[in-house]
Amino acid sequence: MRSATRQTESCMVSLAASLLRVPVMGHKGPLQWADLCKLYKDDSLQTTCSVFEHQFNKQHKYCERSDPDDSGREALLPSSKTTSGYTLLYAIWMTFRPAFVKVVLLRLTTDILSILGPLTLRWVILFCERQPVFDWAGYMYSLVVLGAICCCAVSRQQFERHGGVTTANIQTVMTGVLYRKTLSLSYSSQRQPDIANTVPLPLREAECVGGLVVSLACFWSSPLRVALYMGLLWRELGPGALVGVVVMLILIPVNSAVQRKVKQLQTTQQVIRENTEELVKEMLQKFQALKLLAWEPWFHQRVTESRSRELEMLRILGYLTAFSMLESICMPFLVLFCSLSVFVLGDDGNILTASQIFTSLIVFRLMRPTVMDLCWLYSGLEQAYQSLCHLEKLFLTKDPGSVEKLLPDGFQEMYDRCLDDMPCDFNDGEDHNLFQKGNGEAHRLYLKAFGWHWAAASTLIYLSVCAVCLAQDVVLSVWTREAKEVQGLEEWRELRDSRLAAYSLLGLMQVLLVCCAAFCQSCGSLRASDALYSELLSDVLHLPVSVDQTIDLRKLLPTFSRDMQVIDEKLPKHLHGWLKSLLEILSAVAVITFIMPVFSLAVCPLVMLFLNVQFQFSAHMKIKRMEANPVVSVSSQEFVEDLLSGPMNQALNQNLLVKYNRIITESWFALRLDAIAGILLFMVSFILLETQLDSGIVVLALICAQKITAPLHRVTQAFSDINTDMLSMQRLCELARIEKEAAWIVSHRPPLAWPQRGEVKFRNYDCGALNNLSPALRGLNLTILKGERIGVVSRQKTDIESFLNCLYRVTEASNGAVLIDSVNIAHLGLHNLRSHLKIISQVPVLFVGPLRANLDPFARHTDAQVWLALELCHLKEQVQQLPAQLLHPVQRTSIALSLGQRRLLCLARALLARVKILLVEEALPSVDLETEQLVQLLVHTEFKDCTVLWLSGNPATVMHTDKVLVLNKGRAVTFDATSTVLEQGSLFSQEEF
């Protein structure tokens, strides 16, 4: 067991060394699997899984022997005593014990070293106040500051790296055991796993158990860290330090209540989003029928209304983000203000010094996230314990059927989702090429949709927020400098009251500006979401009917769902974080340069160093995409059948490989960012110690230098996230570049009553096929008079489709023209044309929604007219038998409607539209003969003044027509009266066929 763990750790050391080449490879081009596999080759996962299973079985047998009540009992599930989770926890401890110990020691080291930063900087301030604690020279203090920063950074990065690696190992082992357990149970029971109905695996619980390593380390280290911080604060502020901690604790339940409200709104928003996605899914599935009916405006309105409800929820959530921004920006001010107020007002003898101000400010900033984590730690441990118990039950289950009973309702991912978590053949080239093609275009498009005025307002307000934050530090700096010069108690009280008033006024301004910033961000992001979604929906609805020949429309659904969710929620948040962090850095550097002009000489080298690290950060971005977007190269069924014979371990190894690379590259870049921040702080402290500046000015410069570290990390991460989010924007740009169909409505419109006769003429008509390989119709010359019944027949389905496409202008004429009542249809808008044609499709289409909307979506007819159309089509009784049929969605009552009845409903649409040209496709064999005879009868009686075209591949179904048009390979072979064609013999007996 220990050898397996040591083997894994040694591989991690070699991987860490080899990963120095990853940034170089990552930014030069697409990152391939081969690039990562060259850096890491290890097959110790199988050994680790075997060690874990051995320890688990060993502990389980020990528990069974120690429980005499369960001896001889053969139950599907073990007793509650053996499923308390401790068996699984013990197995994890025994398997990963060295890694656990290392993580705990690194956490302890990090906690102790975390106080070195404020302590060493406090010594620098005391040195500037001519109160040195040691007899060292000034530059020695600077070296001590640099050493303390380096120790803290290295210790923190080592803890995060080893904690992440150990968590990844545990998650992967748990996942491997889950897959093996489920598949072995399926095969042992001779049940083939069905991809559509396979039991989902609780992978999130495995992730929760994997995170237990860090949680347990924090469970005891967080109180220790809080105790250390409280000791420093008590030394500086006395009882006033307790006030700040109390304020932190009071705000925690408020924040918890806001988070619960946010989750409720997000649940409601998810329901609305799913409804919108269902509408979009139906639109894409029934795209051709929607286009031929010219009902795009109806669907656009339905989707837009559902989208409006979703945007309203986003608006409310946007307002709640103001609280989170206040909590992150204004809470440090509030905590420090309360503590300082109690300190100076509690005793007139308490005079603030520069070291007290700086130490209190830094320690409160360090304590806040620790206190927040400590408060949320209990719920995390409780969830991890529940996951332990549940996974232990799964591991001990011996019956396949009982697995389903053990799976919680919250984990309903299907098996294909589980397979997607096992990357096999990922290629970053597609995303890399997409990113390289038009990243700038995507940025411009989003900013344009966001609104340049909202972008400018947000930038100005965030700049004002940074200015106010700096002004607060300036007030404290001036206060400590003026406090040295006061003479007498009254003068001190006057100075104290004025500075507290100024400090509180700046805090109020900060609150107002943060609320304004949240409002501008919410308005701009909502404007962008609305505009981009409307443009996306319009682009898709304006695609030609023939687009399904080149694009799988079902693949556009993720653009409406996943990509738009990124644009709605993630992109605004990342832009906000990037802008806020960048302005914080720039404002801090500006203040330091103003205080020490010589520092300007170091700005350019530091910026170049940062840009170099930022430039190489692209490798980490690509590895994160590899972790988030794995691809399975083989079919799911083949993959399932081969999992037990070896490829499962290979897939898990590849999954673990990506996690290793992500963790270590993340640590690599974070350490270099800490190095840049450390160099900056070292240079500031070194310059300050060589000058004769007041201690208050020294505090201001040190505060600005120390505040750069966190924004430096955030701006890098936000930049990475923005570039990843822009892939979604780029997909919208790619879709917008697809050629669209002709305009729906043009200025040249037909007469108001057009067509009055329904006369159709083809004049030397040629048109290309959808695949543009060969002509579809060639040299078509014929005239169809008013009210004629024409049968259009051909052995080849493409001839019938081409004839239909030319009338609906699915394909445009390459030569000649089609005239309807002497009007060239090529000069009309598509809606002007298609709305005056109706087709009874071979596969009748009904849309989800009220039945009335399926007959009259634009509400142009009265209820009486709708009922009359249903009565003429012999559907009134069936509709009346279904309760409230006109109001209920079709999806609830479609079971009662046969294919023939759906065909009659399509006929009712044509009756309501009062068209002059009707096209009827051949019915499917499943339509009963009686219904088809009724359709023919209704067409002959109710459409006697209309021109009717019967499209069929079977000559027997068009014998009731006046004339027959026989097509062969795009040419008109015969166009004559039905009797004349019959006299010539069989319709398909010509040599051309």
Side-chain angles (χ1 to χ4, degrees):
M1 175 197 67
R2 294 183 180 179
S3 62
T5 307
R6 284 195 295 267
Q7 182 181 0
T8 302
E9 292 178 355
S10 64
C11 291
M12 289 304 305
V13 174
S14 63
L15 176 61
S18 301
L19 275 175
L20 295 177
R21 293 180 291 171
V22 172
V24 179
M25 294 188 301
H27 76 268
K28 287 185 176 180
L31 197 61
Q32 307 291 340
W33 271 110
D35 298 329
L36 300 184
C37 293
K38 292 178 182 177
L39 303 178
Y40 174 75
K41 293 181 180 180
D42 180 37
D43 56 355
S44 63
L45 177 63
Q46 187 174 2
T47 304
T48 308
C49 290
S50 301
V51 171
F52 169 79
E53 291 181 349
H54 171 73
Q55 294 293 339
F56 181 79
N57 295 330
K58 176 181 177 181
Q59 180 64 17
H60 175 56
K61 291 178 181 178
Y62 174 79
C63 292
E64 286 183 338
R65 289 195 302 268
S66 62
D67 189 1
D69 296 335
D70 289 345
S71 59
R73 190 175 77 180
E74 295 182 358
L76 294 179
L77 297 180
S79 65
S80 59
K81 184 175 181 180
T82 59
T83 57
S84 58
Y86 295 113
T87 300
L88 180 58
L89 184 61
Y90 176 82
I92 295 175
W93 161 252
M94 293 301 296
T95 306
F96 300 97
R97 181 170 50 187
F100 276 136
V101 174
K102 182 176 293 187
V103 170
V104 170
L105 292 177
L106 286 172
R107 180 71 191 195
L108 177 62
T109 305
T110 303
D111 292 340
I112 296 176
L113 292 178
S114 64
I115 65 173
L116 285 182
L119 281 179
T120 53
L121 292 175
R122 178 177 179 272
W123 294 340
V124 172
I125 297 173
L126 292 176
F127 181 84
C128 293
E129 291 179 337
R130 299 298 183 264
Q131 302 174 15
V133 180
F134 303 106
D135 295 331
W136 298 348
Y139 68 90
M140 292 298 297
Y141 280 96
S142 300
L143 292 176
V144 170
V145 169
L146 180 61
I149 295 173
C150 292
C151 291
C152 292
V154 171
S155 175
R156 183 174 64 253
Q157 297 305 324
Q158 286 291 318
F159 165 72
E160 293 177 354
R161 193 187 75 177
H162 285 278
V165 168
T166 306
T167 300
N169 285 330
I170 297 175
Q171 291 176 359
T172 305
V173 170
M174 296 292 103
T175 303
V177 175
L178 281 171
Y179 277 115
R180 188 176 304 176
K181 183 71 175 178
T182 303
L183 291 173
S184 61
L185 288 176
S186 299
Y187 277 83
S188 63
S189 62
Q190 296 182 354
R191 297 192 311 176
Q192 295 296 328
D194 183 10
I195 298 303
N197 300 306
T198 300
V199 178
L201 301 178
L203 298 180
R204 294 183 185 175
E205 292 192 339
E207 295 177 359
C208 183
V209 172
L212 190 63
V213 180
V214 180
S215 299
L216 289 176
C218 296
F219 186 74
W220 64 269
S221 68
S222 294
L224 174 62
R225 181 177 288 195
V226 171
L228 292 175
Y229 293 155
M230 282 300 302
L232 290 177
L233 289 172
W234 185 272
R235 177 182 178 181
E236 301 296 336
L237 301 178
L242 298 176
V243 179
V245 177
V246 171
V247 172
M248 287 185 187
L249 297 177
I250 291 176
L251 291 178
I252 288 176
V254 178
N255 185 39
S256 178
V258 173
Q259 293 301 320
R260 286 196 299 270
K261 183 63 176 178
V262 168
K263 289 183 178 179
Q264 294 176 359
L265 293 175
Q266 287 176 342
T267 303
T268 305
Q269 178 197 4
Q270 182 63 28
V271 174
I272 299 174
R273 177 181 286 121
E274 290 175 355
N275 294 334
T276 306
E277 291 177 5
E278 287 298 322
L279 286 174
V280 174
K281 183 178 180 181
E282 183 187 26
M283 177 188 74
L284 298 176
Q285 289 176 342
K286 304 174 181 178
F287 188 73
Q288 182 177 4
L290 184 67
K291 301 291 292 183
L292 296 184
L293 288 169
W295 284 3
E296 298 98 329
W298 175 54
F299 243 85
H300 189 283
Q301 179 183 1
R302 295 179 66 192
V303 176
T304 301
E305 289 176 354
S306 180
R307 174 66 176 173
S308 299
R309 294 192 293 270
E310 184 180 346
L311 288 178
E312 185 61 30
M313 300 305 300
L314 285 174
R315 187 185 305 276
I316 300 175
L317 287 171
Y319 294 149
L320 289 178
T321 57
F323 178 83
S324 62
M325 293 174 62
L326 285 171
E327 194 268 340
S328 63
I329 298 177
C330 301
M331 184 177 176
F333 157 78
L334 182 61
V335 170
L336 184 62
F337 174 75
C338 293
S339 297
L340 293 182
S341 299
V342 171
F343 177 73
V344 298
L345 294 176
D347 188 352
D348 291 336
N350 291 337
I351 307 297
L352 283 177
T353 63
S355 61
Q356 287 177 318
I357 290 289
F358 179 83
T359 305
S360 302
L361 182 62
I362 299 303
V363 172
F364 272 128
R365 286 177 179 171
L366 294 174
M367 180 186 289
R368 175 178 164 270
T370 307
V371 172
M372 298 295 292
D373 293 341
L374 187 61
C375 294
W376 293 106
L377 188 59
Y378 176 76
S379 60
L381 290 176
E382 184 179 5
Q383 183 180 359
Y385 175 73
Q386 295 175 357
S387 299
L388 275 171
C389 296
H390 185 260
L391 289 176
E392 184 175 313
K393 289 182 180 181
L394 282 175
F395 292 161
L396 295 176
T397 301
K398 299 180 180 179
D399 180 66
S402 61
V403 176
E404 297 184 10
K405 300 177 183 178
L406 291 173
L407 291 171
D409 296 335
F411 305 111
Q412 294 301 317
E413 290 109 2
M414 298 307 295
Y415 193 76
D416 54 355
R417 174 66 181 89
C418 299
L419 292 180
D420 286 343
D421 286 340
M422 292 185 177
C424 288
D425 275 334
F426 179 87
N427 190 332
D428 186 55
E430 182 179 354
D431 281 347
H432 178 82
N433 294 333
L434 187 64
F435 180 80
Q436 294 295 331
K437 284 174 64 176
N439 194 30
E441 179 187 1
H443 282 83
R444 289 191 297 271
L445 177 61
Y446 184 81
L447 289 177
K448 181 180 178 181
F450 190 92
W452 295 103
H453 57 291
W454 287 118
S458 299
T459 303
L460 291 176
I461 293 175
Y462 280 126
L463 189 59
S464 301
V465 170
C466 294
V468 170
C469 292
L470 289 175
Q472 293 171 353
D473 296 336
V474 170
V475 168
L476 295 177
S477 174
V478 173
W479 188 357
T480 58
R481 180 173 55 84
E482 294 177 343
K484 301 176 182 179
E485 303 173 358
V486 295
Q487 301 291 333
L489 184 59
E490 291 299 327
E491 187 177 351
W492 158 246
R493 289 177 177 174
E494 181 180 354
L495 176 64
R496 178 193 64 190
D497 295 340
S498 62
R499 293 297 174 256
L500 280 178
Y503 196 58
S504 60
L505 180 62
L506 289 173
L508 180 61
M509 291 177 59
Q510 188 183 48
V511 171
L512 295 176
L513 288 173
V514 168
C515 292
C516 292
F519 175 77
C520 292
Q521 176 191 344
S522 178
C523 290
S525 60
L526 286 173
R527 185 180 186 271
S529 297
D530 189 19
L532 292 173
Y533 194 92
S534 298
E535 186 176 350
L536 171 63
L537 182 60
S538 178
D539 286 338
V540 173
L541 288 175
H542 279 83
L543 291 175
V545 180
S546 58
V547 72
D548 59 353
Q549 301 290 324
T550 56
I551 299 176
D552 186 359
L553 292 175
R554 293 173 298 179
K555 293 184 178 180
L556 296 181
L557 184 60
T559 303
F560 282 93
S561 56
R562 183 180 61 236
D563 290 338
M564 284 307 306
Q565 186 175 2
V566 169
I567 295 172
D568 291 342
E569 301 174 7
K570 294 184 179 180
L571 185 55
K573 181 176 68 175
H574 295 155
L575 282 172
H576 155 255
W578 176 81
L579 179 62
K580 174 177 172 290
S581 302
L582 181 63
L583 292 177
E584 287 179 0
I585 295 173
L586 294 178
S587 58
V589 171
V591 172
I592 295 174
T593 306
F594 178 78
I595 295 174
M596 304 177 299
V598 69
F599 181 75
S600 59
L601 299 177
V603 171
C604 289
L606 288 175
V607 170
M608 293 178 63
L609 185 60
F610 170 73
L611 291 178
N612 182 51
V613 175
Q614 180 72 61
F615 179 66
Q616 295 181 351
F617 199 71
S618 58
H620 178 62
M621 295 163 50
K622 294 171 185 177
I623 293 175
K624 288 183 65 176
R625 289 202 297 271
M626 294 175 72
E627 184 181 18
N629 301 301
V631 177
V632 178
S633 62
V634 295
S635 65
S636 299
Q637 188 62 37
E638 294 174 354
F639 188 69
V640 171
E641 293 174 353
D642 293 340
L643 276 179
L644 290 176
S645 61
M648 179 182 70
N649 291 326
Q650 180 183 359
L652 290 174
N653 265 314
Q654 290 176 343
N655 194 8
L656 190 59
L657 169 64
V658 178
K659 289 183 178 180
Y660 281 169
N661 281 272
R662 190 262 302 168
I663 293 170
I664 296 180
T665 53
E666 192 174 71
S667 175
W668 191 91
F669 288 108
L671 191 60
R672 276 144 186 80
L673 291 175
D674 285 338
I676 295 175
I679 293 173
L680 186 147
L681 189 56
F682 167 74
M683 296 178 66
V684 170
S685 61
F686 184 83
I687 296 173
L688 287 173
L689 293 175
E690 294 298 323
T691 59
Q692 301 296 325
L693 295 176
D694 183 77
S695 59
I697 302 299
V698 172
V699 167
L700 180 59
L702 289 176
I703 288 176
C704 292
Q706 196 273 341
K707 286 199 308 184
I708 286 179
T709 304
L712 203 61
H713 286 268
R714 291 198 302 265
V715 74
T716 304
Q717 184 61 47
F719 182 77
S720 167
D721 293 334
I722 290 171
N723 286 332
T724 302
D725 297 341
M726 280 300 164
L727 291 174
S728 298
M729 283 295 305
Q730 186 58 31
R731 278 187 276 270
L732 266 64
C733 297
E734 291 289 328
L735 185 60
R737 283 194 286 267
I738 298 178
E739 184 179 358
K740 305 301 186 294
E741 64 181 358
W744 289 347
I745 298 175
V746 296
S747 57
H748 178 74
R749 298 188 180 186
L752 184 63
W754 180 89
Q756 293 180 336
R757 303 184 304 277
E759 182 180 85
V760 182
K761 296 181 180 180
F762 290 84
R763 293 292 178 261
N764 298 320
Y765 184 82
D766 295 338
C767 73
L770 293 180
N771 54 15
N772 295 321
L773 296 179
S774 60
L777 296 176
R778 294 174 291 178
L780 212 58
N781 271 290
L782 56 96
T783 299
I784 301 174
L785 300 178
K786 170 188 176 182
E788 283 189 324
R789 270 66 174 161
I790 306 297
V792 182
V793 294
S794 176
R795 282 182 176 178
Q796 300 169 340
K797 187 178 180 180
T798 55
D799 288 339
I800 302 297
E801 292 178 349
S802 299
F803 188 84
L804 176 65
N805 291 339
C806 76
L807 287 177
Y808 277 90
R809 283 182 59 193
V810 175
T811 54
E812 299 290 349
S814 58
N815 185 40
V818 177
L819 306 178
I820 297 180
D821 285 2
S822 303
V823 175
N824 189 345
I825 64 173
H827 299 159
L828 302 177
L830 291 180
H831 280 187
N832 297 132
L833 170 65
R834 294 172 180 173
S835 61
H836 292 91
L837 304 175
K838 287 300 174 185
I839 181 172
I840 311 300
S841 302
Q842 190 176 48
V843 181
V845 175
L846 295 180
F847 298 95
V848 175
L851 180 59
R852 194 194 193 290
N854 273 272
L855 298 173
D856 182 27
F858 302 105
R860 295 171 180 169
H861 305 283
T862 63
D863 288 346
Q865 291 173 323
V866 174
W867 280 112
L868 178 60
L870 291 172
E871 184 177 7
L872 291 174
C873 294
H874 297 219
L875 291 173
K876 184 176 181 179
E877 294 182 0
Q878 288 88 338
V879 171
Q880 288 178 335
Q881 291 176 1
L882 299 173
Q885 175 66 27
L886 293 180
L887 299 178
H888 282 282
V890 171
Q891 58 185 10
R892 295 183 182 177
T893 58
S894 58
I895 299 177
L897 297 176
S898 65
L899 189 62
Q901 289 173 329
R902 288 169 173 263
R903 192 168 169 85
L904 290 172
L905 279 175
C906 293
L907 189 60
R909 290 177 186 165
L911 282 172
L912 287 172
R914 300 186 181 91
V915 294
K916 291 297 183 180
I917 300 176
L918 177 67
L919 293 88
V920 184
E921 288 189 323
E922 178 185 5
L924 292 173
S926 56
V927 177
D928 59 283
L929 182 60
E930 181 181 353
T931 301
E932 188 57 24
Q933 290 176 348
L934 177 59
V935 170
Q936 293 183 11
L937 177 62
L938 290 174
V939 170
H940 282 285
T941 56
E942 301 300 331
F943 294 89
K944 55 185 176 180
D945 294 331
C946 297
T947 301
V948 182
L949 304 175
W950 297 83
L951 312 176
S952 175
N954 183 7
T957 61
V958 297
M959 292 299 99
H960 57 86
T961 60
D962 301 327
K963 291 183 179 180
V964 175
L965 170 64
V966 181
L967 297 174
N968 178 39
K969 297 180 180 179
R971 294 187 179 276
V973 178
T974 302
F975 181 58
D976 209 336
T978 307
S979 58
T980 304
V981 174
L982 288 175
E983 290 176 359
Q984 295 175 355
S986 174
L987 289 176
F988 297 125
S989 64
Q990 290 85 358
E991 294 181 0
E992 293 84 353
F993 287 88

